Amino acid sequence: MATTATEAAKAAPAEQAKGEQKTRHSEVGHKSLLKSDDLYQYILDTSVYPREPESMKELREITAKHPWNLMTTSADEGQFLNMLIKLIGAKKTMEIGVYTGYSLLATALALPEDGTILAMDINRENYELGLPCIEKAGVAHKIDFREGPALPVLDDLIADEKNHGSFDFVFVDADKDNYLNYHERLLKLVKLGGLIGYDNTLWNGSVVLPDDAPMRKYIRFYRDFVLVLNKALAADERVEICQLPVGDGVTLCRRVK
């Protein structure tokens, strides 16, 4: 996709010189699948940034300086998650894959005062980068952060039957090769009618590219896992699904069985 953008820039040097067209969006975490960067900027400027809490704005700007900033949740997806949590009235939630905590903060702000988030990530250092913003927002008490792989934590939760069907919402934005492993466990932990959100299910648009198309190494590496996940979720009668082109693609699964 970067090559296509470069070629487009060369094809329109006059517009580029005037600064009227951008071949790549400058927003960190920009994973929008919209063809028009101007349209995406319109969404951000009109509906997202004016309503973005100051703590989330600060965390977004801090994350922008991190070398892995493309891992962050985009601002529009953060707004979507915040609204979704409120719409379903979630109280007990989980997040697998935290990074600096932008989506975590969006969730924490949406939860009631006694709401909880079990948050898991293999890198505490990244989480602690955003922790001051979370503390400043007054929602750190809602978060139980666990450093390390998520699968052992999920297995421990499943071992205690009181945890079965106890979570209202789970957001997964982690290692794509384990998404199906997470899915099987999370279906035991999410209540009937509860939601699981899987991020990056359109994977930079690579899901519709031919196998021999040029791709970044990490895109190609995880692409097959995402394709397998999408087919599995579509065929899973235990859930109702809705795949949305928000951010890099998010698939919502509502447990019905």
Side-chain angles (χ1 to χ4, degrees), residues 108-138:
L109 288 169
L111 290 173
E113 186 63 21
D114 59 346
T116 61
I117 313 172
L118 173 58
M120 292 165 273
D121 199 285
I122 59 173
N123 191 319
R124 176 179 288 274
E125 183 178 348
N126 289 336
Y127 167 66
E128 291 182 344
L129 185 66
L131 186 55
C133 297
I134 294 172
E135 292 174 337
K136 187 183 298 184

Side-chain angles (χ1 to χ4, degrees), residues 25 32 34 36-51 75-77 79 245-246:
H25 200 279
S32 173
L34 292 173
S36 168
D37 282 353
D38 289 337
L39 182 56
Y40 184 60
Q41 188 67 56
Y42 174 82
I43 293 171
L44 293 175
D45 291 341
T46 304
S47 301
V48 179
Y49 291 158
R51 293 297 190 97
D76 55 319
E77 187 175 5
Q79 185 184 61
V246 177

Side-chain angles (χ1 to χ4, degrees), residues 27 47-61 74-76 79 102 109:
E27 165 70 7
S47 301
V48 179
Y49 291 158
R51 293 297 190 97
E52 185 180 35
E54 187 61 32
S55 56
M56 291 184 65
K57 177 183 178 182
E58 183 179 354
L59 179 50
R60 175 168 55 83
E61 292 174 348
S74 60
D76 55 319
Q79 185 184 61
Y102 189 81
L109 288 169

